[in-house]
Amino acid sequence: MIGHVTLVGGGPGAADLMTVRARDALAAADVVFYDRLAPTDGLPDWAPGAELVDVGKRPGHHRVPQETIHQMMIEAAQSGKAVVRLKGGDPFVFGRGCEEVAACREAEVPVTVVPGISSAIAVPAAAGIPVTARGVSKAFTVISGHDPLSEEELAGLVGLGGTTVILMGVGTLGHTVTGLRRHGLGDDVPVGVVEHGFGTDQRVSIAPLGEILGVAAQARISHPAVLVIGEVVRLAAVEPMTGEAAHRLPAGEATASAGVQRIRALAGAVL
């Protein structure tokens, strides 16, 4: 009998933010193909009878090509196995989940999807940053920073207003910031960078748009990180909102500019 494939969204990385349905799928799995940013610390316990296969990609290094992942999933299912494809966040938010579903359908392999909590919303929330707020922002745009944005896309973001959330945007941060400024976004617009959301090494850096590149360079901001651009960043929490460890940049560590201190003071005053 042919098996089936289940695409599972593991959420932003914390094990207790996985859904019950995700855990049930793992418990019934014969093989799990998992990504780098998926919650994996408990995999041997969550999927006790499964073969665990790391197919994760790193920035600039895809040691297992996407087409190979498709083939591995399909062949496992065709041999009668219950296959779980475990991803971070949600499978359909920059997770190439639609490509994997299409590959399974083309091979006539049954496939289902278990949604996950997207880091686009959850990770800003971990820093107390709402993507929308009454009277501040009534819309938010989620974009991939994996590839540089075009001039049309940069202009569109500035014209749209509201909140911009960028995933996988550390490598293209310089291009994004200079492009947004070139198209008229003000230097005083606050920017928040949340690194390692929901991890014990979570860190939040906040600075005006005109200064964020200097802050990022001195703080050595790295993947994985979620960038938030917009007035909602002024609402960032003084303390972490997740119940887990988090660290802000101490005053003067990244920059001693008045702009950065003003943003932090405003955030504290709002709360």
Side-chain angles (χ1 to χ4, degrees):
M1 293 180 62
I2 193 169
H4 64 275
V5 173
T6 306
L7 272 61
V8 173
D16 55 357
L17 288 179
M18 294 177 67
T19 65
V20 173
R21 187 173 297 186
R23 288 288 186 87
D24 288 345
L26 287 169
D30 296 311
V31 57
V32 178
F33 299 103
Y34 62 91
D35 277 352
R36 179 175 65 94
L37 296 180
T40 57
D41 288 347
L43 262 183
D45 295 325
W46 304 333
E51 176 188 3
L52 307 178
V53 183
D54 181 0
V55 294
K57 305 178 180 69
R58 300 183 183 277
H61 179 55
H62 295 183
R63 62 184 182 82
V64 183
Q66 186 64 36
E67 291 73 18
T68 303
I69 296 174
H70 295 172
Q71 183 179 1
M72 294 166 70
M73 292 191 309
I74 290 167
E75 289 180 353
Q78 288 175 334
S79 69
K81 294 181 179 179
V83 179
V84 166
R85 176 74 172 98
L86 179 61
K87 299 169 172 289
D90 182 274
F92 284 175
V93 180
F94 304 135
R96 304 188 75 164
C98 61
E99 299 174 35
E100 295 173 353
V101 167
C104 290
R105 287 175 173 169
E106 184 177 355
E108 299 184 346
V109 169
V111 57
T112 55
V113 177
V114 177
I117 297 174
S118 174
S119 59
I121 300 172
V123 171
I129 301 174
V131 293
T132 63
R134 187 160 60 96
V136 180
S137 174
K138 61 182 180 181
F140 68 97
T141 304
V142 181
I143 63 175
S144 167
H146 184 270
D147 297 314
L149 299 175
S150 68
E151 292 299 310
E152 292 77 11
E153 290 169 331
L154 290 163
L157 286 174
V158 174
L160 184 62
T163 305
T164 298
V165 179
I166 304 177
L167 307 183
M168 302 175 290
V170 172
T172 55
L173 180 61
H175 172 88
T176 302
V177 169
T178 55
L180 292 174
R181 295 175 69 190
R182 184 169 61 251
H183 285 279
L185 193 62
D187 281 352
D188 61 342
V189 173
V191 180
V193 183
V194 186
E195 299 171 80
H196 304 280
F198 291 93
T200 56
D201 53 349
Q202 177 179 305
R203 183 171 67 161
V204 183
S205 307
I206 296 176
L209 182 70
E211 301 178 29
I212 190 62
L213 293 182
V215 170
Q218 194 159 351
R220 298 181 180 178
I221 287 172
S222 62
H223 298 282
V226 175
L227 284 61
V228 187
I229 304 172
E231 292 300 318
V232 292
V233 177
R234 300 185 192 273
L235 305 175
V238 176
E239 297 296 331
M241 302 288 288
T242 63
E244 298 170 70
H247 305 282
R248 288 178 176 270
L249 295 174
E253 177 181 307
T255 176
S257 73
V260 173
Q261 300 308 318
R262 183 175 69 253
I263 293 292
R264 289 180 175 143
L266 282 170
V270 168
L271 289 174

PDB file of all heavy atoms in Angstrom, residues 111-129:
ATOM      1  N   VAL A 111      -1.103  13.747   0.160  1.00  0.00           N
ATOM      2  CA  VAL A 111      -0.357  14.750   0.907  1.00  0.00           C
ATOM      3  C   VAL A 111      -1.328  15.642   1.660  1.00  0.00           C
ATOM      4  O   VAL A 111      -2.387  16.008   1.151  1.00  0.00           O
ATOM      5  CB  VAL A 111       0.540  15.592  -0.033  1.00  0.00           C
ATOM      6  CG1 VAL A 111      -0.266  16.260  -1.140  1.00  0.00           C
ATOM      7  CG2 VAL A 111       1.349  16.630   0.744  1.00  0.00           C
ATOM      8  N   THR A 112      -0.990  15.944   2.902  1.00  0.00           N
ATOM      9  CA  THR A 112      -1.773  16.867   3.717  1.00  0.00           C
ATOM     10  C   THR A 112      -0.823  17.887   4.341  1.00  0.00           C
ATOM     11  O   THR A 112       0.398  17.701   4.366  1.00  0.00           O
ATOM     12  CB  THR A 112      -2.533  16.137   4.842  1.00  0.00           C
ATOM     13  OG1 THR A 112      -1.595  15.388   5.626  1.00  0.00           O
ATOM     14  CG2 THR A 112      -3.574  15.191   4.270  1.00  0.00           C
ATOM     15  N   VAL A 113      -1.412  18.970   4.848  1.00  0.00           N
ATOM     16  CA  VAL A 113      -0.626  20.069   5.418  1.00  0.00           C
ATOM     17  C   VAL A 113      -1.102  20.355   6.832  1.00  0.00           C
ATOM     18  O   VAL A 113      -2.304  20.467   7.084  1.00  0.00           O
ATOM     19  CB  VAL A 113      -0.739  21.342   4.562  1.00  0.00           C
ATOM     20  CG1 VAL A 113       0.033  22.497   5.200  1.00  0.00           C
ATOM     21  CG2 VAL A 113      -0.228  21.094   3.151  1.00  0.00           C
ATOM     22  N   VAL A 114      -0.157  20.478   7.757  1.00  0.00           N
ATOM     23  CA  VAL A 114      -0.443  20.909   9.124  1.00  0.00           C
ATOM     24  C   VAL A 114       0.137  22.306   9.289  1.00  0.00           C
ATOM     25  O   VAL A 114       1.357  22.478   9.288  1.00  0.00           O
ATOM     26  CB  VAL A 114       0.174  19.956  10.163  1.00  0.00           C
ATOM     27  CG1 VAL A 114      -0.082  20.482  11.572  1.00  0.00           C
ATOM     28  CG2 VAL A 114      -0.377  18.546   9.996  1.00  0.00           C
ATOM     29  N   PRO A 115      -0.694  23.340   9.411  1.00  0.00           N
ATOM     30  CA  PRO A 115      -0.175  24.700   9.535  1.00  0.00           C
ATOM     31  C   PRO A 115       0.663  24.877  10.801  1.00  0.00           C
ATOM     32  O   PRO A 115       0.512  24.127  11.781  1.00  0.00           O
ATOM     33  CB  PRO A 115      -1.440  25.567   9.596  1.00  0.00           C
ATOM     34  CG  PRO A 115      -2.530  24.701   9.046  1.00  0.00           C
ATOM     35  CD  PRO A 115      -2.161  23.294   9.416  1.00  0.00           C
ATOM     36  N   GLY A 116       1.529  25.860  10.758  1.00  0.00           N
ATOM     37  CA  GLY A 116       2.340  26.177  11.922  1.00  0.00           C
ATOM     38  C   GLY A 116       2.304  27.670  12.214  1.00  0.00           C
ATOM     39  O   GLY A 116       1.920  28.473  11.358  1.00  0.00           O
ATOM     40  N   ILE A 117       2.686  28.047  13.412  1.00  0.00           N
ATOM     41  CA  ILE A 117       2.754  29.470  13.778  1.00  0.00           C
ATOM     42  C   ILE A 117       3.904  30.102  13.011  1.00  0.00           C
ATOM     43  O   ILE A 117       5.046  29.662  13.104  1.00  0.00           O
ATOM     44  CB  ILE A 117       2.967  29.632  15.289  1.00  0.00           C
ATOM     45  CG1 ILE A 117       1.779  29.043  16.052  1.00  0.00           C
ATOM     46  CG2 ILE A 117       3.159  31.094  15.656  1.00  0.00           C
ATOM     47  CD1 ILE A 117       1.968  29.026  17.555  1.00  0.00           C
ATOM     48  N   SER A 118       3.601  31.144  12.244  1.00  0.00           N
ATOM     49  CA  SER A 118       4.634  31.779  11.419  1.00  0.00           C
ATOM     50  C   SER A 118       5.507  32.713  12.249  1.00  0.00           C
ATOM     51  O   SER A 118       5.014  33.504  13.060  1.00  0.00           O
ATOM     52  CB  SER A 118       3.988  32.572  10.281  1.00  0.00           C
ATOM     53  OG  SER A 118       4.968  33.287   9.564  1.00  0.00           O
ATOM     54  N   SER A 119       6.810  32.640  12.011  1.00  0.00           N
ATOM     55  CA  SER A 119       7.745  33.532  12.701  1.00  0.00           C
ATOM     56  C   SER A 119       7.525  34.984  12.301  1.00  0.00           C
ATOM     57  O   SER A 119       7.960  35.887  13.016  1.00  0.00           O
ATOM     58  CB  SER A 119       9.189  33.128  12.393  1.00  0.00           C
ATOM     59  OG  SER A 119       9.439  33.169  11.005  1.00  0.00           O
ATOM     60  N   ALA A 120       6.847  35.223  11.182  1.00  0.00           N
ATOM     61  CA  ALA A 120       6.587  36.596  10.747  1.00  0.00           C
ATOM     62  C   ALA A 120       5.762  37.371  11.767  1.00  0.00           C
ATOM     63  O   ALA A 120       5.885  38.594  11.881  1.00  0.00           O
ATOM     64  CB  ALA A 120       5.873  36.592   9.396  1.00  0.00           C
ATOM     65  N   ILE A 121       4.925  36.673  12.501  1.00  0.00           N
ATOM     66  CA  ILE A 121       4.095  37.304  13.528  1.00  0.00           C
ATOM     67  C   ILE A 121       4.603  36.966  14.927  1.00  0.00           C
ATOM     68  O   ILE A 121       4.653  37.814  15.813  1.00  0.00           O
ATOM     69  CB  ILE A 121       2.633  36.863  13.380  1.00  0.00           C
ATOM     70  CG1 ILE A 121       2.091  37.267  12.004  1.00  0.00           C
ATOM     71  CG2 ILE A 121       1.759  37.455  14.483  1.00  0.00           C
ATOM     72  CD1 ILE A 121       0.721  36.713  11.699  1.00  0.00           C
ATOM     73  N   ALA A 122       4.991  35.716  15.125  1.00  0.00           N
ATOM     74  CA  ALA A 122       5.359  35.252  16.458  1.00  0.00           C
ATOM     75  C   ALA A 122       6.650  35.869  16.968  1.00  0.00           C
ATOM     76  O   ALA A 122       6.754  36.226  18.149  1.00  0.00           O
ATOM     77  CB  ALA A 122       5.468  33.734  16.460  1.00  0.00           C
ATOM     78  N   VAL A 123       7.670  35.971  16.119  1.00  0.00           N
ATOM     79  CA  VAL A 123       8.957  36.473  16.594  1.00  0.00           C
ATOM     80  C   VAL A 123       8.890  37.954  16.962  1.00  0.00           C
ATOM     81  O   VAL A 123       9.411  38.350  18.016  1.00  0.00           O
ATOM     82  CB  VAL A 123      10.067  36.171  15.573  1.00  0.00           C
ATOM     83  CG1 VAL A 123      11.356  36.886  15.942  1.00  0.00           C
ATOM     84  CG2 VAL A 123      10.311  34.661  15.515  1.00  0.00           C
ATOM     85  N   PRO A 124       8.256  38.827  16.165  1.00  0.00           N
ATOM     86  CA  PRO A 124       8.063  40.193  16.664  1.00  0.00           C
ATOM     87  C   PRO A 124       7.304  40.230  17.992  1.00  0.00           C
ATOM     88  O   PRO A 124       7.640  41.016  18.891  1.00  0.00           O
ATOM     89  CB  PRO A 124       7.268  40.869  15.541  1.00  0.00           C
ATOM     90  CG  PRO A 124       7.676  40.134  14.313  1.00  0.00           C
ATOM     91  CD  PRO A 124       7.830  38.702  14.757  1.00  0.00           C
ATOM     92  N   ALA A 125       6.289  39.365  18.130  1.00  0.00           N
ATOM     93  CA  ALA A 125       5.529  39.331  19.375  1.00  0.00           C
ATOM     94  C   ALA A 125       6.408  38.955  20.565  1.00  0.00           C
ATOM     95  O   ALA A 125       6.183  39.411  21.688  1.00  0.00           O
ATOM     96  CB  ALA A 125       4.368  38.348  19.253  1.00  0.00           C
ATOM     97  N   ALA A 126       7.413  38.113  20.318  1.00  0.00           N
ATOM     98  CA  ALA A 126       8.316  37.734  21.401  1.00  0.00           C
ATOM     99  C   ALA A 126       9.054  38.937  21.957  1.00  0.00           C
ATOM    100  O   ALA A 126       9.492  38.940  23.115  1.00  0.00           O
ATOM    101  CB  ALA A 126       9.321  36.695  20.895  1.00  0.00           C
ATOM    102  N   ALA A 127       9.215  39.965  21.133  1.00  0.00           N
ATOM    103  CA  ALA A 127       9.867  41.201  21.564  1.00  0.00           C
ATOM    104  C   ALA A 127       8.849  42.267  21.943  1.00  0.00           C
ATOM    105  O   ALA A 127       9.216  43.419  22.181  1.00  0.00           O
ATOM    106  CB  ALA A 127      10.775  41.730  20.455  1.00  0.00           C
ATOM    107  N   GLY A 128       7.572  41.897  21.991  1.00  0.00           N
ATOM    108  CA  GLY A 128       6.535  42.860  22.343  1.00  0.00           C
ATOM    109  C   GLY A 128       6.180  43.802  21.210  1.00  0.00           C
ATOM    110  O   GLY A 128       5.590  44.855  21.438  1.00  0.00           O
ATOM    111  N   ILE A 129       6.518  43.429  19.966  1.00  0.00           N
ATOM    112  CA  ILE A 129       6.227  44.274  18.810  1.00  0.00           C
ATOM    113  C   ILE A 129       4.990  43.726  18.109  1.00  0.00           C
ATOM    114  O   ILE A 129       5.036  42.634  17.528  1.00  0.00           O
ATOM    115  CB  ILE A 129       7.402  44.316  17.832  1.00  0.00           C
ATOM    116  CG1 ILE A 129       8.661  44.849  18.513  1.00  0.00           C
ATOM    117  CG2 ILE A 129       7.062  45.182  16.619  1.00  0.00           C
ATOM    118  CD1 ILE A 129       9.907  44.776  17.641  1.00  0.00           C
TER     119      ILE A 129
END
